[in-house]
Each structure stands twice: as structure tokens, then as C-alpha cells.
Amino acid sequence: MTSLPTTDPAAALGGSRWNTFPEAGAALTARAFLTAIEPLLQGVIDDNALTHADREVLDAQIRATLALGTRESSLPLSIGPDSDEGARELAAQARTIGGQLATWAGAALDRLLGDRLPLPAGPLVVRSHCYGHLLTPPATDLLMGRRGGPVTMQLYNEWLHQVVLLRDALLPFTNWQDVPLLVTPTGLRHTEAARDAFLTELLVRRVRHSAVVDFARHVVTGTSGPAGYGFENAAGTALPAVLDQPPLTAPRHLLTWRPAPAHADATTATATYVPEAEDYYAAPRTLVEDLPPTGPARSPLTARTRPGPLADGARTARIEVTVDGTTTRVDLGQALRGHRYAKRVADGGNDSGAPTGSGSEAGAGSDAPRTGPVPAVLRAPGLVWTEAAEGASVDASGHPDLVVLALLGRLYPEYVTLRAAGPTEAGTAPGHLLTFTAPPGTH
């Protein structure tokens, strides 16, 4: 997806025609989309007779627009000590993506100033509504001053707005450069309503993971669906990043795009991944003290994910863990919920301070008794919890990350801490210790 799709290769750019996107829509990556909207930038250069001396003004403008904390910022996201982890993850995304898009835009300016993109149908004239993007004083002087005017301003406003829409559309994805965005004849304007709803939640409340997923689905497929933790279509699947990264350090809210295999069925319908139980409070529970005693597993545990059948635009998925020839199944949605809610202590040390998990109030101390054998916890009916004042723990050292995620799906997801299980040798991954305490008032 690196070339500009076109319904008519001979169609001439110019006049009111600034792109050759097909009416049915196209899938473009970020780099390809930025290249596809270059005619707008060429129109600005032509109409304003810009030279290389003006390049720094426009470069500074796009950097100010895409940055956080500037007067011209298009995303007034302020991160402080009390900001939730979802906002922190998305702010880091905005900085990374914005910086790279600004660099690509600067390279495009250099190229178009030295090697003009032809507009065979004549000077470009585009009507673009005001979207409230503030300009730096030098950019205002350049675009609206002696050499500029309304036409120049309209062209630049449309280009700038499309770049902002591009940055925001990419926020949910760790591998944002690979995501195939749906592009229509109006570029990314079709994402505006979904973007407004998503940014409103991000800016005024604790952002929900389901809101991140819904916005991500809009920018890839153009459609909404039931609240869930991921989605898929014929092109690929978007699921939480923890499925590819260590649970101790993986983002809680971001998604990773996974392209469909070349042999996959191209008619696959768009589907949302949803948890089996919407309300985990109502799920049956098993006290860890009541688990049958079991010895350590006789062979290494293995795990894989397996999707369920599609029904009414949604599907569930499970983690299948094989223990000594017996396979147990854990709902992937509940496992991901457990990962989002758990407090994490990456160094295995002091876990003092406010927990980051939703609904959590305290983590268990490092001296909690290790009363939950991994095989027994995985096979337990419902969610495992404790009423013991001293708490309990599950030592998952030596097991794959996906097994650790499955264990998080078996524990009642409040008052759980995931920590590194002691020091590790150089070059080896840390083990995992899951500790959990009794909810207040149960002992």
C-alpha cells in the first residue's frame, strides 16, 4: 500500500480536484496518505509563489500544530501526575506520530519546492471550512499577507486538517505506520464524528479501552460495532498489544495491527471481539484456599489463542493452555481485562503507591503466601480469589507470556499485582509473580 490508487489514471489534478481517491474508498498507510495529499501543498506553493526561504515557516507551523503543549496544538492533551495510564499512552503516541509526520511533511516541502508536482487542470482551488487550527504569527503573515490570500489559506487549511486527522486516526496503534486506513474522496474527513467522540472522552474523562477500539475500527473500516477489545476484517486483525509484548511492560490500551495471511478468505466480515462475560462481578468464584493441591507441571506449558464463531457482528476468543496433555480454556476478553486492571511492578521490588488498575485499591505484599499452583488456578471454575487477610500468590516463573495472560484471566481482576519474580540473569526474560488480596470487608 505505497502507491496512490486511482479510478482514472488520466484524470487531471487541478481546479477543485485535489486527489484521485476512488469513490468506493481505498486503504492507505500513513506514508502513502501523506503523499496522496501533496497536491494541496503544491497548490499552496504555486498560489503563494513560495520559495525555499519560506520552507522553515511552514515546517515550524506543522510541528507546532502536531505538538502537545503549544499555543497551536490541535490536541490540547495535558499530562500530569494524576493522569491515567490510557491518557499517558495516547499522549506518547501523539508525540511520536506527530514528530514523524512533521518530518515527512518537511521532506515533502523540500521536494515540491524543487520538483513541482504538475496540476494539469490548472490552479487548485478548494473550499475548506475553518476547523479552528491556529497558525503561528509567521505562518499567518506568509499565507494571508502580501503574497497570500483566501485561496492560499483554504488550500493550506485543508492540507493541515487532513494531517491532523491522520495523526489522530493512528493514535490507537502501536505499529501505526502499517495500518491500512480507509480513505474516501474527502480524504479522512469521514473520521471526524468518531474522532470528536473519542477525543472528547480522552480529554474529559478516563478513556475506556472500548472507546479506543471503536475509534480504531472507524478509521480502518468506516463502521462501528458492539463494545469490545478488538476487531477484524478481511485485511487483518487489531487486538491489544500485550498479545505480542511482555505483560509487565505492554501498553494496556493500545492495539497492534496484524495483517491477514495471504491465503486468508478475502470475504471475511468485519467483526468485533467481545468478552464472554460483560459483567465479571457476576461470574462464579473459587477461593484459592479451596483449590485442590497439585504438584508442578511435569512438562512445559504451551498456549495459543483461538477465535470463536462469528455471530451478529461479534466473536469471542480464548487462550488455550495445555498442561501435561490437558487443555484448559480461558476467555481472552477476561484475560485482557485482568491485564488492564492489574497493578504492575516491573522490578520485583516495592509496590507502594497508588495502583494503576481500574477498581484496584491495594497490592499484595511481597511476602504473600504462594498458595495457588498454576495448573490448579488455570483449571478452577470461575474466577479465583481469596478471603485471607495476608493474600495469596501464583508463581508463573518460567511460563510463556501467554500463560501469564491466561492466569490474569482466571484471577478476580481487582486487587491483583503482577510483578517480576526476583532477579534474572542477563539476557533472560523475568519470571512473573501474581499476588492478590481479599476485597475490603471480606476478612
Side-chain angles (χ1 to χ4, degrees):
M1 297 180 189
T2 57
S3 61
L4 175 64
T6 176
T7 54
D8 180 4
L13 293 169
S16 62
R17 185 180 180 84
W18 61 271
N19 67 66
T20 54
F21 300 139
E23 291 293 330
L28 291 181
T29 59
R31 188 67 180 267
F33 178 76
L34 206 59
T35 299
I37 64 174
E38 285 182 1
L40 290 168
L41 204 52
Q42 185 68 69
V44 173
I45 293 171
D46 290 351
D47 190 69
N48 212 12
L50 298 184
T51 67
H52 285 281
D54 304 311
R55 187 260 190 207
E56 296 306 318
V57 172
L58 295 184
D59 183 69
Q61 173 63 58
I62 189 60
R63 291 186 181 279
T65 298
L66 296 178
L68 302 183
T70 66
R71 168 186 170 273
E72 297 80 14
S73 176
S74 58
L75 180 60
L77 180 58
S78 178
I79 299 299
D82 297 328
S83 298
D84 66 273
E85 191 162 359
R88 291 179 182 276
E89 290 176 0
L90 291 165
Q93 286 284 97
R95 294 188 186 97
T96 299
I97 298 170
Q100 184 60 69
L101 294 184
T103 297
W104 288 345
L109 271 171
D110 291 335
R111 185 174 64 257
L112 296 175
L113 284 165
D115 184 14
R116 183 182 180 279
L117 178 69
L119 303 175
L124 195 61
V125 181
V126 172
R127 177 73 175 96
S128 179
H129 298 286
C130 178
Y131 296 99
H133 302 308
L134 295 177
L135 298 183
T136 64
T140 301
D141 292 342
L142 179 66
L143 298 172
M144 290 296 292
R146 180 174 57 84
R147 288 184 293 161
V151 172
T152 302
M153 192 68 255
Q154 298 266 345
L155 292 170
Y156 187 77
N157 186 70
E158 185 63 28
W159 179 82
L160 185 64
H161 187 54
Q162 293 286 344
V163 176
V164 170
L165 292 176
L166 175 62
R167 188 273 311 274
D168 295 345
L170 298 167
L171 292 178
F173 301 98
T174 58
N175 56 340
W176 57 270
Q177 296 194 36
D178 302 325
V179 177
L181 301 172
L182 175 65
V183 178
T184 72
T186 58
L188 289 172
R189 283 201 216 168
H190 70 93
T191 68
E192 287 174 337
R195 169 184 177 266
D196 288 348
F198 172 65
L199 293 186
T200 297
E201 177 159 325
L202 173 61
L203 295 173
V204 304
R205 59 170 287 180
R206 184 184 294 269
V207 66
R208 297 166 298 164
H209 177 69
S210 59
V212 177
V213 173
D214 188 61
F215 179 52
R217 175 172 163 151
H218 267 97
V219 301
V220 172
T221 71
T223 65
S224 185
Y229 58 83
F231 68 92
E232 68 179 7
N233 67 357
T237 304
L239 286 169
V242 68
L243 291 173
D244 297 318
Q245 299 183 32
L248 274 171
T249 56
R252 297 180 192 270
H253 294 277
L254 301 183
L255 308 174
T256 297
W257 175 257
R258 300 165 179 83
H263 62 274
D265 182 1
T267 63
T268 300
T270 300
T272 299
Y273 280 88
V274 298
E276 291 180 356
E278 182 177 350
D279 182 7
Y280 67 88
Y281 288 96
R285 302 184 200 178
T286 297
L287 285 169
V288 68
E289 294 84 1
D290 293 340
L291 292 176
T294 61
R298 297 186 299 275
S299 58
L301 276 65
T302 60
R304 64 175 182 174
T305 58
R306 180 180 289 275
L310 178 64
D312 297 326
R315 72 164 85 242
T316 59
R318 292 180 173 181
I319 302 175
E320 296 184 344
V321 183
T322 300
V323 184
D324 295 333
T326 301
T327 298
T328 59
R329 295 169 179 84
V330 179
D331 176 44
L332 178 60
Q334 183 61 37
L336 295 169
R337 181 184 283 147
H339 179 256
R340 291 195 303 275
Y341 286 10
K343 180 182 177 182
R344 297 185 294 186
V345 182
D347 61 2
N350 191 336
D351 63 350
S352 62
T356 58
S358 171
S360 299
E361 293 186 5
S366 60
D367 59 348
R370 301 185 178 185
T371 56
V374 170
V377 171
L378 288 171
R379 293 168 182 158
L383 301 175
V384 175
W385 68 309
T386 184
E387 291 182 333
E390 68 273 19
S393 65
V394 180
D395 188 355
S397 298
H399 297 308
D401 289 342
L402 197 54
V403 172
V404 177
L405 195 61
L407 288 167
L408 285 169
R410 272 287 186 253
L411 299 180
Y412 182 74
E414 299 182 10
Y415 320 106
V416 174
T417 298
L418 175 65
R419 68 176 72 245
T424 58
E425 297 180 4
T428 62
H432 296 87
L433 179 68
L434 298 92
T435 60
F436 49 106
T437 58
T442 58
H443 52 75

